[in-house]
Amino acid sequence: MNGFLNFIVSFATTPALLVGIIAMLGLILQKKPATAVIQGGVKTFAGFLVLTGGAGILVNSLTPFSAMFQHVFAVKGLVPSNEAVVALALVKFGTPAALIMLVGFIVNIILARITRFKYIFLTGQAMLYVSTMAAVVLAAAGLGTSWVTILLGGIFEGTLLTITPALTQRYMRKITGNDGVAMGHTGNMGYALSGWLGEKFGNKDPEKSTEKLNIPKSLGFLRDSTVSISLVMMVVYIILALLAGPHFVESSELSNGTNYIVYAIVQAGTFAAGFVVVLQGVRMILAEIIPAFQGIAQKLVPNSKPALDVPIVFPYAPNAVLIGFFVSFVVGVLSMLAMIGLHTTVIIPGIVGIFFCGGAAGVYGNAFGGLRGAIIGSIVNGLILAWGPLLIMPALGSFGAGAASTFADSDYIVSGGLLGLTSKAGSPALIALIIGFLVIVLILNAILNARDKAKEK
């Protein structure tokens, strides 16, 4: 039983396999020939491996950046990292987290089938992270790891992962130019807010887009995203390396003797290379998954859309990604200094989370609001990433108090914080909140359907 459960969990949390199989299923439902089915599945599988490989390169290049940053500022505190906190939590909550994830995926499929929110969440690791958070919060609330926890956690996760892509879809249509793909990430609430703020307070002139910055002809080479990202990151890495000093950077834990300036330059170039690999993986996935998904949309869940991981939007506005990252990073640093002054728990900026969430916030803010929208949206999203972890920490109970990390993205912060706050009123209140969440989504679906029918008349 444990071996089978481990297989299911491993399969479901490996996005490349999961999406590859789903692409093949879509092609089978369209009655495509076997050669086309195999080709579509393998290319989607390979595309996801390219994307995740690029993301791994990015993460590896940001690790020394984070180490130098903490050394320069000499602070200790919590580093928001979904990967770290989930790894710790799964030691104790592995089985309920896996079962919650399974129930959550089934709920997602059912809701996508019966409601207008036709989003199939396909980011496997995010599904596991949400189920782990639910297991920890519900256990801390006194529900333990019983079947009640598994059922409630699954309902909560399935409902959350169905509705949050809907929050961002209006902006996704603007970003991608079509309605074929959705955002399947746990920063959706922050991205939707960034998009809304960009639309309300940004510049609606298309010429003010971050991708149409007025760059002098002599600097025209900066229009190449690979070149601009490399140069900007090079400046940042070198400054940080100078502040950290050669003794620290050239230690065995970082460059292992390589000159600290050379090491900084190579890490900046590695970051840019990772970004290029991510973009290539995204292109491969989109070329295969959208046509293949038509089979699922037509047969199993009519008109459904795949909700894919956050790098899916990066190719559409690479300048906005860079702007969003740096704005969110600056906000994180300033917030950390404020926390030190206020003598609160210090949240050290998690560089990896800030890059992916901050970069995406920049893209969403730019969608309707141009450069100004990207900056405004990234500032607010940066504040959520910086201060939000303080809200979710109490919800994690004794586990949160003993961990050196916590959940990072906006969806964890908002939903987990709300669950934790409600749990203070007792288990019945928490149960009512989760069931109420599902009921509200169903009522909202009915209201919106009725509105659309009224418009047709």
Side-chain angles (χ1 to χ4, degrees):
M1 179 62 183
N2 287 336
F4 178 73
L5 183 61
N6 179 60
F7 172 79
I8 295 297
V9 173
S10 298
F11 190 97
T13 55
T14 304
L17 282 173
L18 183 63
V19 179
I21 293 297
I22 289 175
M24 294 178 71
L25 175 61
L27 293 169
I28 291 171
L29 291 172
Q30 293 179 71
K31 298 181 180 179
K32 297 289 185 181
T35 53
V37 172
I38 295 171
Q39 177 178 317
V42 170
K43 290 185 73 173
T44 304
F45 170 72
F48 246 94
L49 290 178
V50 171
L51 186 153
T52 53
I57 295 173
L58 287 172
V59 170
N60 289 336
S61 70
L62 288 172
T63 299
F65 184 99
S66 181
M68 287 187 284
F69 176 84
Q70 291 190 49
H71 175 74
V72 168
F73 285 92
V75 293
K76 292 184 178 180
L78 291 178
V79 180
S81 170
N82 301 323
E83 293 77 12
V85 73
V86 167
L88 293 171
L90 286 178
V91 175
K92 183 176 181 181
F93 300 97
T95 298
L99 295 175
I100 287 172
M101 184 180 67
L102 178 60
V103 174
F105 188 65
I106 293 171
V107 171
N108 177 207
I109 297 292
I110 294 172
L111 287 177
R113 171 79 186 189
I114 67 175
T115 72
R116 64 189 289 129
F117 308 117
K118 298 189 176 300
Y119 306 99
I120 309 298
F121 201 97
L122 296 178
T123 309
Q125 72 271 21
M127 292 164 60
L128 178 63
Y129 297 169
V130 173
S131 67
T132 304
M133 182 197 71
V136 173
V137 173
L138 293 176
L143 292 176
T145 57
S146 65
W147 66 268
V148 175
T149 295
I150 293 166
L151 180 60
L152 288 173
I155 292 173
F156 165 76
E157 176 173 14
T159 307
L160 183 72
L161 299 186
T162 302
I163 199 67
T164 52
L167 298 177
T168 65
Q169 193 58 21
R170 180 168 182 269
Y171 307 104
M172 281 295 288
R173 286 194 291 269
K174 177 68 173 178
I175 292 166
T176 63
N178 61 70
D179 199 28
V181 66
M183 174 57 72
H185 193 245
T186 46
N188 278 345
M189 294 182 192
Y191 307 151
L193 179 59
S194 180
W196 182 82
L197 289 170
E199 185 175 9
K200 294 298 179 183
F201 304 106
N203 193 314
K204 296 179 174 58
D205 184 353
E207 295 303 314
K208 299 297 184 180
S209 168
T210 56
E211 309 314 298
K212 294 186 178 181
L213 295 176
N214 188 19
I215 300 175
K217 288 185 178 180
S218 60
L219 299 176
F221 61 90
L222 292 176
R223 293 186 182 277
D224 186 311
S225 60
T226 304
V227 175
S228 60
I229 290 172
S230 296
L231 292 177
V232 171
M233 293 302 292
M234 210 170 287
V235 170
V236 174
Y237 269 85
I238 290 175
I239 291 174
L240 199 55
L242 289 170
L243 292 174
H247 178 73
F248 178 78
V249 178
E250 294 174 8
S251 67
S252 59
E253 295 180 2
L254 289 180
S255 76
N256 197 26
T258 301
N259 179 272
Y260 70 120
I261 300 298
V262 172
Y263 180 73
I265 293 172
V266 171
Q267 291 304 312
T270 303
F271 179 93
F275 198 85
V276 172
V277 175
V278 165
L279 301 189
Q280 179 59 32
V282 169
R283 295 188 187 102
M284 290 178 65
I285 294 167
L286 290 180
E288 301 298 330
I289 192 67
I290 292 178
F293 212 81
Q294 292 175 356
I296 295 175
Q298 294 167 1
K299 301 291 183 179
L300 297 180
V301 185
N303 302 314
S304 62
K305 301 173 182 65
L308 303 175
D309 205 355
V310 63
I312 209 76
V313 299
F314 288 178
Y316 297 98
N319 289 344
V321 173
L322 201 57
I323 291 168
F325 167 49
F326 280 111
V327 170
S328 296
F329 176 65
V330 170
V331 170
V333 173
L334 295 176
S335 296
M336 180 191 71
L337 297 176
M339 291 173 194
I340 294 173
L342 294 171
H343 303 290
T344 67
T345 299
V346 176
I347 303 298
I348 299 172
I351 304 301
V352 174
I354 285 178
F355 170 71
F356 287 106
C357 293
V363 175
Y364 276 84
N366 174 68
F368 285 102
L371 175 60
R372 188 197 307 163
I375 293 173
I376 294 172
S378 299
I379 288 173
V380 175
N381 188 71
L383 289 171
I384 293 172
L385 297 178
W387 295 90
L390 295 176
L391 300 177
I392 193 175
M393 282 171 54
L396 302 179
S398 59
F399 170 78
S405 185
T406 186
F407 290 95
D409 307 345
S410 61
D411 293 5
Y412 302 116
I413 290 166
V414 175
S415 62
L418 185 58
L419 286 177
L421 185 64
T422 306
S423 69
K424 294 181 179 179
S427 298
L430 189 58
I431 295 171
L433 174 68
I434 294 173
I435 300 301
F437 180 30
L438 174 61
V439 171
I440 289 172
V441 169
L442 295 175
I443 292 174
L444 179 62
N445 172 70
I447 292 173
L448 293 176
N449 285 341
R451 184 199 64 181
D452 290 347
K453 289 182 180 178
K455 285 182 179 180
E456 292 175 0
K457 294 180 181 179

